[in-house]
Amino acid sequence: MKIKIATWNVNSVRARMTVIASWIEKEKPDILCLQELKATEEQFPRQELCDLGYHSAVNGQVRWNGVAIVSLAPLADVETDLKGFLPEQKRMISGSVHGIRLINVYVPNGRDIDHPGFQEKLRYFEVLREYALASPGPTVILGDFNVAPGPVDTHSPEEQDGMICYHPLEREQISQFFSAGFTDVFRRFYPEGKAYSWWDYRAGSFRRKRGMRLDLVLANREADEIITNCFIDMEPRGWERPSDHTPVVFEMAVSE
DNA sequence: ATGGCCGGGAAGCCCGGA
């Protein structure tokens, strides 16, 4: 059977619940990985999602960060600790479903190249890679990586070169995932051409098509082999009260 | 190009986002 999985930075799960419910109704994903909940587990709209038929595994935090995996089938072996790194920032939740390991991440933004947060961001990728490589079987890392992997993934690569989310050291970290055997799933289906998953709220960026592809699906070989499709759904970015990110969706052929 | 917009929590602004 085929299952549909999506990743979406919703920029507050409570402010976005109407939009999320509409999108679920439209796309009917089997699994939805959310980032930037800006909510604690107690504040998370578990009941509303339950009414839509979904289980929720939540790693929440007051005000900032927070991630969740929302799934029709219950999740097994849920983990929220990333090798003890940045334990106070709730940025990772992983779990297994249909024999697939899903690692849902919200990578630190880094603030600025000169800010200590930038070094923390680079380190985050290393720790995440170690964690993902230790997972046996089909494994997918998905979420908001806060990096555009290459020039076709951002609106003005020349001007942005060296800036946050398009710095050579950040892009090098994404390359390291490729060297380690992970595939950029979206680019397997769309090898070239501008494609974005985030547009700044300011400056009419969405209307002016000035965005970045910051939300990625990275699959190891076993997972990549059974992924049959991947696309970015730009529609909800144009809805009322949207997130500044839009969902990245893929499908997998699983045995049951 | 700049930054213009958002969200949350504390407070009537500030921080963080990217």
Side-chain angles (χ1 to χ4, degrees), chain A residues 24 28-31 46 49-50 52-56 70-72:
Chain A
I24 285 176
K28 301 183 170 30
D30 294 274
I31 302 156
R46 185 182 296 277
L49 288 158
C50 184
L52 294 168
Y54 291 84
H55 303 263
S56 295
V70 174
S71 174
L72 289 176

Side-chain angles (χ1 to χ4, degrees), chain A residues 134-154:
Chain A
S135 163
T139 301
V140 179
I141 319 167
L142 71 171
D144 180 357
F145 283 70
N146 266 318
V147 182
V152 290
D153 301 310
T154 188

Side-chain angles (χ1 to χ4, degrees), chain A residues 1-16:
Chain A
M1 71 180 226
K2 201 173 266 191
I3 58 167
K4 183 186 277 187
I5 306 175
T7 174
W8 194 3
N9 177 325
V10 289
N11 184 22
S12 171
V13 70
R14 287 172 290 166
R16 217 62 65 210

Side-chain angles (χ1 to χ4, degrees), chain A residues 111-180:
Chain A
R111 303 282 294 280
D112 215 332
I113 308 306
D114 301 327
H115 193 277
F118 186 68
Q119 297 305 320
E120 209 169 78
K121 179 179 190 176
L122 297 178
R123 179 74 187 137
Y124 196 91
F125 288 118
E126 290 176 4
V127 177
L128 174 62
R129 206 156 48 239
E130 255 185 72
Y131 178 78
L133 285 169
S135 163
T139 301
V140 179
I141 319 167
L142 71 171
D144 180 357
F145 283 70
N146 266 318
V147 182
V152 290
D153 301 310
T154 188
H155 56 88
S156 314
E158 293 80 12
E159 288 84 340
Q160 290 174 291
D161 194 9
M163 296 169 71
I164 199 75
C165 298
Y166 195 62
H167 190 282
L169 290 172
E170 296 174 275
R171 282 177 275 153
E172 167 61 20
Q173 284 295 334
I174 300 299
S175 297
Q176 295 266 343
F177 281 94
F178 303 154
S179 307

Side-chain angles (χ1 to χ4, degrees), chain A residues 2-255:
Chain A
K2 201 173 266 191
I3 58 167
K4 183 186 277 187
I5 306 175
T7 174
W8 194 3
N9 177 325
V10 289
N11 184 22
S12 171
V13 70
R14 287 172 290 166
R16 217 62 65 210
M17 200 50 218
T18 306
V19 164
I20 293 170
S22 300
W23 190 77
I24 285 176
E25 195 175 349
K26 177 175 93 80
E27 280 298 322
K28 301 183 170 30
D30 294 274
I31 302 156
L32 178 54
C33 293
L34 302 174
Q35 303 91 36
E36 250 195 302
L37 304 180
K38 293 186 173 176
T40 61
E41 182 162 3
E42 293 70 35
Q43 296 168 322
F44 186 85
R46 185 182 296 277
Q47 188 57 51
E48 285 178 75
L49 288 158
C50 184
D51 292 344
L52 294 168
Y54 291 84
H55 303 263
S56 295
V58 181
N59 186 19
Q61 174 180 341
V62 67
R63 195 166 188 192
W64 290 311
N65 308 318
V67 286
I69 303 179
V70 174
S71 174
L72 289 176
L75 225 62
D77 304 317
V78 172
E79 291 185 359
T80 55
D81 170 49
L82 189 65
K83 302 177 82 70
F85 189 59
L86 300 178
E88 72 286 0
Q89 300 183 28
K90 308 306 183 189
R91 296 181 176 275
M92 196 284 295
I93 187 166
S94 62
S96 298
V97 62
H98 302 290
I100 313 296
R101 189 74 186 164
L102 294 173
I103 303 172
N104 176 23
V105 288
Y106 175 45
V107 175
N109 163 275
R111 303 282 294 280
D112 215 332
I113 308 306
D114 301 327
H115 193 277
F118 186 68
Q119 297 305 320
E120 209 169 78
K121 179 179 190 176
L122 297 178
R123 179 74 187 137
Y124 196 91
F125 288 118
E126 290 176 4
V127 177
L128 174 62
R129 206 156 48 239
E130 255 185 72
Y131 178 78
L133 285 169
S135 163
T139 301
V140 179
I141 319 167
L142 71 171
D144 180 357
F145 283 70
N146 266 318
V147 182
V152 290
D153 301 310
T154 188
H155 56 88
S156 314
E158 293 80 12
E159 288 84 340
Q160 290 174 291
D161 194 9
M163 296 169 71
I164 199 75
C165 298
Y166 195 62
H167 190 282
L169 290 172
E170 296 174 275
R171 282 177 275 153
E172 167 61 20
Q173 284 295 334
I174 300 299
S175 297
Q176 295 266 343
F177 281 94
F178 303 154
S179 307
F182 288 88
T183 307
D184 182 345
V185 172
F186 177 79
R187 284 299 178 199
R188 182 153 76 79
F189 295 96
Y190 301 89
E192 49 194 53
K194 294 278 188 183
Y196 311 133
S197 64
W198 169 85
W199 298 262
D200 200 313
Y201 282 123
R202 297 168 292 187
S205 300
F206 185 58
R207 177 177 48 80
R208 294 163 61 201
K209 305 185 194 314
R210 293 168 59 86
M212 300 177 83
R213 190 170 68 95
L214 306 179
D215 302 273
L216 307 179
V217 178
L218 305 183
N220 74 358
R221 180 203 281 259
E222 282 173 82
D224 196 47
E225 278 172 351
I226 56 172
I227 293 176
T228 58
N229 187 26
C230 182
F231 63 95
I232 298 173
D233 183 4
M234 288 174 42
E235 193 185 323
R237 184 62 180 82
W239 292 350
E240 287 294 312
R241 279 197 90 191
S243 168
D244 46 356
H245 295 251
T246 212
V248 182
V249 189
F250 63 103
E251 292 179 301
M252 293 183 102
V254 296
S255 47

